[in-house]
Amino acid sequence: MLNEVERWLTTRSWSVTDRPLHQIMAAKQRTGQTVSVVLPALNEEETVGDIVAIIRHDLMQQVPLVDEIVVVDSGSTDRTAQVAAAAGATVVHRDAILPRVPTVPGKGEVLWRSLLVTSGDIVCFIDADLKEFSSDFVSGIVGPLLTDPAVDLVKAMYDRPLGSAAGQGGRVTELMARPLLNMHWPQLAGFVQPLGGEYAARRSLLEQLPFPVGYGVELGMLVDALHLVGLDALAQVDVGVRKHRHQDGQALGRMSAAIYRTAQLRLARGHLIRPSLTQFERGEDGFEPRTYSVDTEERPPMAEIAEYASRKVA
């Protein structure tokens, strides 16, 4: 490990207990910064309501840390939107945001568009499939941004059990993302959960970043932020344990392919092709191939979008 990373681990890796809530609130009141929480959601009716309700109770009603909760529905076919609205979130459908740009499927697409329907100086992203959710996930990663002006982006770190096996979650992280980062961007080797969906950043940073439209968004954001603001502007906070719905092996394969392609584009932005991934499923006549396209599209920095610029002027 680089000496720079070893130093970073001692100066930019914290626990949620390092910043008590009263200290975070004092910093928020002193600086006047506002906080938006965004939940990208696709068919998450079983969990999204509890997450919204806990954030509202703990961080809006008990203490006014969060100024708005926005659930961006990515085309759910269940009751995700109704459940989220009933719990107190503002719900916006992905297709209603920036309608002049046709939407494409993908988590990064939703996160990118969320910048147009939120107003916080700090934007906190939380996945909508978390179980046994704690508001520490929000206060833990927002805290450093409110208390330390030198920090621009904070990732949550946590244990990820797989069923009853402790620490066995995050398979794509261990098999794809961590090797890529260690080999090509060793400054980022200290991140425990580089692909984690819980992170917060200053709007002033997010609006300058391109957003891969799919599963590569977290890796792309880390790499681009490193180049834009440097390692010391990035941090991570231990928030405990993350429990969520796990994907099957083939879905993880597609996720890995998108992440690899995101890394590849950043290593050499040259001749772009439309890559594909072939996987196999056993059918009546033996193993049958299934080929999926791997998304390579990226959304430009939000600061380049006319509607976003005009909103800031207004």
Side-chain angles (χ1 to χ4, degrees), residues 102-124:
T103 58
V104 295
K107 179 183 181 182
E109 176 83 354
V110 173
L111 300 184
W112 181 72
R113 290 176 186 266
S114 75
L115 297 182
L116 270 164
V117 292
T118 54
S119 59
D121 302 305
I122 294 167
V123 182
C124 174

Side-chain angles (χ1 to χ4, degrees), residues 170-228:
R171 290 162 287 173
V172 175
T173 293
E174 300 304 328
L175 296 174
M176 176 59 70
R178 199 176 308 285
L180 281 172
L181 292 176
N182 276 264
M183 287 188 291
H184 300 299
W185 296 281
Q187 287 177 294
L188 298 174
F191 277 94
V192 175
Q193 298 292 351
L195 300 185
E198 291 69 48
Y199 49 99
R202 300 192 191 280
R203 177 177 294 272
S204 57
L205 171 62
L206 293 172
E207 65 187 15
Q208 297 180 70
L209 298 176
F211 277 60
V213 298
Y215 284 120
V217 62
E218 274 85 20
L219 183 135
M221 190 176 294
L222 262 188
V223 170
D224 293 340
L226 174 67
H227 291 307
L228 193 63

Side-chain angles (χ1 to χ4, degrees), residues 31-85:
T31 62
Q33 297 176 90
T34 54
V35 177
S36 299
V37 175
V38 172
L39 279 72
L42 177 63
N43 295 329
E44 302 294 357
E45 67 173 330
E46 294 185 5
T47 50
V48 68
D50 287 342
I51 297 171
V52 170
I54 289 169
I55 296 172
R56 278 187 56 80
H57 176 268
D58 293 358
L59 302 180
M60 296 182 83
Q61 297 168 351
Q62 297 282 74
V63 296
L65 177 64
V66 172
D67 297 281
E68 63 178 350
I69 305 175
V70 178
V71 171
V72 183
D73 186 357
S74 188
S76 298
T77 56
D78 64 1
R79 298 183 62 255
T80 290
Q82 297 92 317
V83 169

Side-chain angles (χ1 to χ4, degrees), residues 101-159:
V101 180
T103 58
V104 295
K107 179 183 181 182
E109 176 83 354
V110 173
L111 300 184
W112 181 72
R113 290 176 186 266
S114 75
L115 297 182
L116 270 164
V117 292
T118 54
S119 59
D121 302 305
I122 294 167
V123 182
C124 174
F125 298 119
I126 300 291
D127 280 352
D129 66 342
L130 303 188
K131 302 174 182 178
E132 301 178 27
F133 177 76
S134 167
S135 59
D136 284 351
F137 274 68
V138 175
S139 59
I141 57 180
V142 165
L145 294 162
L146 288 170
T147 58
D148 190 340
V151 174
D152 286 328
L153 184 149
V154 182
K155 298 279 293 190
M157 57 177 166
Y158 32 67
D159 294 316

